[in-house]
Amino acid sequence: MDLVKQYVKKRNSQFFASIVLAIVGVVANLFSYVYMAKIIVNLINKNASLEFYFSVCLIILLMFVAKEIAAGVSSAISHTATFNSLGEIRNDISNKLFKMPLGDVMSRSSGELKNIIVEQVDSMETSLAHLVPEFTANLVGPILLLVYMFLLDWRLTLLSLIPLAIGMSVMMSVMNDNYKDMFQKSVSIGQRMNNAIVEYINGIKIIKTFNQSSSSYEKFSDAVYDNAQFYCDWMGQSMNRVAIGRLLSPMGIITIIPFGILFYMNGSIDLTSLMTLIVLSFATVSSIVKIMNYMDDLSRISTITGEIEKILNSRELKNKEKGYEVKEFEIELENIVFSYDGEGKIIDDISLSVEANSVSALVGPSGSGKSTIAKLIAGFWNIDDGKISIGGVDTEEMSLERLSSLISYVSQDNFLFDISVRDNIRLGNKEATDKEVEEIAKKSGCHDFILNLSNGYDTIVGEGGGHLSGGERQRISIARAMLKDGPIIILDEATSYIDPENEAIIQEAISNLVKGKTLLIIAHRLRTITDVDRIFVISNGKLENFGTHSQLLDKSDLYRQMYEASMKGEE
């Protein structure tokens, strides 16, 4: 509930206005019953004044109109405030994901994150838009009526509440400690279903390729049916008591009529008060039963907000803006240590220097830590010990936005959004004109193949760039990074999917585009980095050696073996 309070507090005036109007609507509706009771009493007393009945009916009509207007305006205000709050929550989650270590984000499945950001945030709409104003109004209204009923006759008022108290206690027995556990299970099983759906859709190509449709669909269908069965079983356990409670709650007439007749016959209550209490007992109970409709939301809101708060309260990268101006772009790593889980060291006391405006490369066996080093420089994780600096400024003393603006990062696992080719490239610089986008595409060797697409630069690339080949996706990613024009460029296996006939074009394009910049390359094809200024050989998280290609052939057995194996592989 703290999360709900946090976002309600930001729009106090709107939610307060919504609550006031909702109370006005509920009170207008409830007190229309008072005038209905007057009509009944006057009919019993054989009052034949049409003017009286007309005036009372007009008052009832005005109260119904007031109720509908107040409820409509209240709902409009609360929904406006709610959807703004939900948008803000989603923005806060997105900003939080940007500030979290990459490993913490990647440890959550896309299905789980989608469930939290979409379904669970959506489920807060009921709590914010309806629970805040309507629960409050349906609580205040009956209290006012009960006060009025107690003034008429406290004995009958208490008697009318006996069935309500029994019915509510039966319904509330559903909302025990087990309910929270069950709702938590419902969230978990829902997330498993989401994960299975996302996995099935994302893996459909592999499923078809290896003819695994039956087993994969079985996993998907089992998750869906498990989710449905869980809710059927849970509702089956709960609905009997809820039905009994709803049956008993409005039965106040069973106690109020016999005792009311008894009190009337002994003269301790007049007919007007008796009829008014009978009518008002229906109105009061119906409003209180409406409150019960929101008890389910109250019980599960803590679980819903708990999942969201886990993300919003997750640890962040340590970066902070100190206002330092970065004028040079050399990269220094000083005794850095890093592990993903706090135990096994992936990077163990590495120190190296990448000179400004130079081309350097990180090489090493698979799993040696070279890509991890590139990601640490880019600020995807914080190091456990040591220091990474750019231009003499500790990267942890820069904001993430500032650090991101300095580095253009292209990985082998490039990702394109389901928008046009032009807009995917323009992500590197949203202010770039169409002409600038096309110029950078020409320099990156993309222009010709883009023109051959169905709609040229306006071709929609599909989810993840699925309508393009791996090489085409990489070339667009390179163009996007170059358009960003960051002073530091990191290419993490960025040319691994480039076919041989286009490799020379891409290498030449990269050479032209990185002039005057600091370039760091991670590559398996050692032939492509023989001309770089400096090569760092990484082995088991340590710096094994460094130097030029020719120097390393002489002094590094590991590099020489890797180079020879690479050349044989290409042959």
Side-chain angles (χ1 to χ4, degrees):
M1 289 298 288
D2 289 340
L3 184 71
V4 175
K5 291 175 185 176
Q6 174 186 338
Y7 287 94
V8 168
K9 201 172 183 180
K10 292 181 179 181
R11 293 173 175 82
N12 263 339
S13 58
Q14 288 175 281
F15 282 110
F16 179 75
S18 175
I19 290 171
V20 170
L21 286 168
I23 291 173
V24 169
V26 169
V27 171
N29 181 55
L30 292 178
F31 274 91
S32 65
Y33 286 95
V34 175
Y35 288 94
M36 290 181 190
K38 286 186 178 183
I39 291 176
I40 295 171
V41 170
N42 277 271
L43 287 172
I44 292 173
N45 292 331
K46 299 182 180 180
N47 181 353
S49 172
L50 290 176
E51 184 180 350
F52 168 78
Y53 293 114
F54 179 78
S55 62
V56 173
C57 287
L58 183 61
I59 292 173
I60 292 174
L61 177 62
L62 290 174
M63 285 191 171
F64 277 127
V65 170
K67 168 212 164 187
E68 293 300 327
I69 292 174
V73 176
S74 170
S75 180
I77 293 173
S78 67
H79 277 83
T80 300
T82 294
F83 286 120
N84 285 332
S85 295
L86 297 186
E88 190 176 345
I89 290 171
R90 287 194 172 103
N91 280 333
D92 288 348
I93 292 174
S94 298
N95 291 333
K96 185 69 178 187
L97 292 176
F98 178 74
K99 295 176 181 177
M100 288 169 60
L102 183 62
D104 291 1
V105 178
M106 299 303 291
S107 66
R108 293 173 175 266
S109 68
S110 56
E112 179 187 355
L113 288 173
K114 175 254 183 186
N115 176 262
I116 293 172
I117 297 172
V118 180
E119 280 91 349
Q120 293 197 35
V121 172
D122 269 345
S123 67
M124 292 180 67
E125 182 266 337
T126 300
S127 301
L128 289 172
H130 298 280
L131 186 62
V132 173
E134 293 174 23
F135 180 86
T136 306
N138 281 292
L139 188 61
V140 171
I143 289 173
L144 293 176
L145 267 189
L146 283 171
V147 171
Y148 180 65
M149 290 170 66
F150 271 105
L151 292 175
L152 290 177
D153 192 289
W154 64 270
R155 300 166 301 171
L156 286 181
T157 302
L158 284 176
L159 287 167
S160 71
L161 295 176
I162 291 174
L164 175 65
I166 295 172
M168 288 188 68
S169 65
V170 172
M171 283 191 283
M172 288 298 291
S173 68
V174 176
M175 309 297 180
N176 52 25
D177 292 337
N178 184 53
Y179 185 90
K180 187 174 181 180
D181 294 336
M182 292 296 285
F183 189 78
Q184 183 62 58
K185 287 180 183 177
S186 76
V187 171
S188 299
I189 202 169
Q191 288 177 346
R192 286 201 298 272
M193 181 182 69
N194 271 287
N195 291 341
I197 293 171
V198 171
E199 181 183 61
Y200 183 77
I201 294 171
N202 289 341
I204 194 69
K205 181 179 177 181
I206 303 300
I207 291 169
K208 287 179 176 292
T209 300
F210 293 98
N211 194 27
Q212 296 295 312
S213 58
S214 57
S215 60
S216 298
Y217 182 76
E218 184 180 357
K219 179 181 179 182
F220 160 73
S221 61
D222 285 348
V224 173
Y225 283 116
D226 286 347
N227 184 70
Q229 189 61 50
F230 173 84
Y231 278 102
C232 287
D233 294 341
W234 186 17
M235 293 303 106
Q237 296 169 12
S238 306
M239 288 312 295
N240 288 338
R241 281 176 288 173
V242 172
I244 292 170
R246 287 186 177 276
L247 178 67
L248 290 174
S249 295
M251 290 293 183
I253 196 170
I254 293 176
T255 53
I256 199 171
I257 287 182
F259 284 99
I261 292 172
L262 180 64
F263 295 157
Y264 175 71
M265 292 179 67
N266 64 27
S268 61
I269 189 172
D270 60 77
L271 182 61
T272 301
S273 297
L274 175 59
M275 296 306 301
T276 302
L277 284 169
I278 291 173
V279 173
L280 292 185
S281 68
F282 283 108
T284 306
V285 169
S286 64
S287 290
I288 293 175
V289 169
K290 281 183 182 178
I291 294 174
M292 292 300 299
N293 294 333
Y294 298 111
M295 295 308 294
D296 182 58
D297 293 312
L298 280 174
S299 299
R300 64 194 178 94
I301 191 66
S302 61
T303 302
I304 295 171
T305 56
E307 292 294 314
I308 297 170
E309 285 177 328
K310 280 181 184 177
I311 294 181
L312 295 178
N313 295 330
S314 297
R315 62 173 181 162
E316 295 184 2
L317 294 164
K318 300 173 186 176
N319 299 66
K320 47 188 176 293
E321 180 64 78
K322 286 293 187 70
Y324 297 121
E325 187 66 29
V326 180
K327 296 181 180 180
E328 298 294 332
F329 303 106
E330 73 273 13
I331 303 170
E332 293 281 348
L333 278 64
E334 302 175 31
N335 307 112
I336 64 167
V337 176
F338 174 75
S339 63
Y340 291 108
D341 55 9
E343 296 179 3
K345 293 179 181 179
I346 304 299
I347 305 299
D348 187 7
D349 195 27
I350 283 183
S351 297
L352 59 84
S353 176
V354 177
E355 295 180 0
N357 307 326
S358 69
V359 180
S360 302
L362 293 172
V363 301
S366 295
S368 60
K370 53 189 184 297
S371 290
T372 300
I373 292 173
K375 290 181 173 69
L376 291 174
I377 294 171
F380 294 165
W381 286 282
N382 284 131
I383 55 177
D384 298 330
D385 198 6
K387 178 181 177 182
I388 300 175
S389 60
I390 297 175
V393 178
D394 191 333
T395 55
E396 291 186 4
E397 301 296 328
M398 306 178 194
S399 67
L400 287 172
E401 292 78 8
R402 176 60 177 149
L403 181 58
S404 177
S405 70
L406 295 177
I407 298 174
S408 296
Y409 186 94
V410 183
S411 72
Q412 58 181 326
D413 302 320
N414 47 72
F415 183 87
L416 300 183
F417 291 91
D418 190 17
I419 52 179
S420 69
V421 172
R422 188 189 310 278
D423 288 335
N424 265 292
I425 296 175
R426 189 179 276 129
L427 288 173
N429 178 6
K430 292 186 178 181
E431 304 301 320
T433 64
D434 288 351
K435 184 177 180 181
E436 288 171 330
V437 169
E438 292 175 18
E439 283 298 319
I440 209 73
K442 289 176 183 177
K443 294 177 180 178
S444 302
C446 297
H447 183 70
D448 290 340
F449 89 75
I450 292 174
L451 290 182
N452 289 326
L453 297 174
S454 57
N455 292 308
Y457 280 88
D458 296 317
T459 302
I460 303 301
V461 303
E463 184 178 355
H467 296 166
L468 304 177
S469 70
E472 288 170 342
R473 289 197 299 272
Q474 276 194 317
R475 287 151 73 179
I476 289 174
S477 297
I478 291 170
R480 180 170 61 192
M482 299 313 172
L483 185 63
K484 181 178 178 180
D485 199 29
I488 298 171
I489 298 172
I490 298 176
L491 302 179
D492 186 355
E493 303 287 355
T495 61
S496 58
Y497 292 126
I498 303 298
D499 51 83
E501 63 185 51
N502 289 307
E503 185 177 356
I505 299 173
I506 300 303
Q507 292 295 344
E508 183 180 355
I510 290 175
S511 298
N512 292 330
L513 290 166
V514 300
K515 287 179 179 177
K517 300 181 185 298
T518 304
L519 175 63
L520 183 61
I521 302 171
I522 294 93
H524 279 303
R525 296 181 187 176
L526 300 191
R527 176 176 53 80
T528 64
I529 50 96
T530 55
D531 295 328
V532 303
D533 299 312
R534 185 176 291 178
I535 300 171
F536 299 95
V537 183
I538 310 298
S539 177
N540 295 320
K542 295 179 179 290
L543 178 62
E544 193 268 348
N545 222 316
F546 68 92
T548 64
H549 170 68
S550 58
Q551 289 171 340
L552 288 173
L553 287 176
D554 292 333
K555 65 179 182 178
S556 173
D557 292 338
L558 175 59
Y559 181 80
R560 184 172 57 255
Q561 292 167 9
M562 289 176 58
Y563 181 72
E564 290 172 354
S566 176
M567 296 304 291
K568 286 180 182 178
E570 293 192 18
E571 290 174 4

